[in-house]
Amino acid sequence: MSCGSILHLALGGGSDGLEQHLVNGGWELVQANDLGAARRMQAQRRFPVGLMSIGSELPAPIADIEACVNGPGGSQWVAMCDAQALESPAFRDLVLDSFFDHIVRPMQWHELDIVLEHACRRALLRQRHESRLRQANALGMVGQGPVIDHLRQQIRKVAATDVPVLISGESGSGKELTARAIHDCSQR
């Protein structure tokens, strides 16, 4: 199984056979050779999975790498690095805080495949979740404030269950709109 596309950001370290392995595994591979190129690509297109190859030394400031990994599109990033890179406390913190997972070179192909597929499934799950949240946040309702926020929260909570719902209120208070929002946000 492959989710489609993967953004490979090669910042250092060997990747002998990596490109061919990913293409043979069914991935559409898009290459970036620096952080700027990767950020531009992320702004233009959604990549479910990002793979960052890093050598033994970091080729860019941690803050720049972090900005790329946490950039637009919600990609699940996997770091592929030399063991020496993990000796840096700052890099370890970055991997723990911002990456989905990491692989230490020399790597095993089957290990890479498992991590990338897991990242792919998580990206798809996150995409579905964010889509539902966008629907739930819109709900076709206008207005802001604590009362409407509470109503939206109740709609999301009720929509997640599979039980009958009674909606009551005065005429013109939005009962039909609330019912439609519950229906649109639920699996029903």
Side-chain angles (χ1 to χ4, degrees), residues 5 15 18 27 30 34 40 62 65 70 74 78 81 84-86 88 100 102 123 129 148 161-162 167 169 175:
S5 58
S15 57
L18 176 67
W27 292 96
V30 178
D34 60 56
R40 285 189 299 277
I62 293 283
I65 295 173
N70 295 322
V78 174
C81 61
Q84 293 167 314
L86 293 171
S88 161
F100 172 75
H102 74 286
H129 176 70
I148 194 77
T161 65
D162 191 19
I167 302 170
K175 295 181 295 295

Side-chain angles (χ1 to χ4, degrees), residues 26-183:
W27 292 96
E28 176 194 349
L29 184 62
V30 178
Q31 295 277 50
N33 292 321
D34 60 56
L35 292 168
R39 292 183 77 182
R40 285 189 299 277
M41 290 176 189
Q42 285 179 298
Q44 296 172 355
R45 180 174 169 192
R46 187 181 190 307
F47 295 94
V49 179
L51 177 63
M52 186 178 295
S53 297
I54 299 172
S56 58
E57 294 185 22
L58 298 179
I62 293 283
D64 293 347
I65 295 173
E66 185 176 37
C68 180
V69 170
N70 295 322
S75 299
Q76 297 295 309
W77 281 89
V78 174
M80 185 172 62
C81 61
D82 294 341
Q84 293 167 314
L86 293 171
E87 292 177 13
S88 161
F91 183 66
R92 278 195 312 265
D93 289 344
L94 174 68
V95 169
L96 289 170
D97 294 340
S98 299
F99 282 83
F100 172 75
D101 203 348
H102 74 286
I103 297 175
V104 178
R105 282 190 288 251
M107 64 176 175
Q108 301 296 317
W109 292 120
H110 71 278
E111 180 184 347
L112 176 66
D113 294 339
I114 290 168
V115 169
L116 292 177
E117 290 300 328
H118 191 197
C120 170
R121 287 192 304 271
R122 184 171 172 99
L124 294 175
L125 183 63
R126 183 175 301 277
Q127 183 180 12
R128 280 196 326 211
H129 176 70
E130 289 171 354
S131 174
R132 285 228 177 245
L133 284 179
R134 279 192 302 278
Q135 282 181 321
N137 286 334
L139 299 177
M141 298 178 181
V142 295
Q144 294 179 350
V147 174
I148 194 77
D149 289 343
H150 181 67
L151 175 61
R152 287 184 179 120
Q153 182 182 22
Q154 287 180 317
I155 290 170
R156 286 189 293 272
K157 185 177 181 179
V158 168
T161 65
D162 191 19
V163 297
V165 177
L166 173 64
I167 302 170
S168 62
E170 296 179 24
S171 178
S173 62
K175 295 181 295 295
E176 287 185 37
L177 183 61
T178 301
R180 172 58 49 200
I182 291 169
H183 178 76

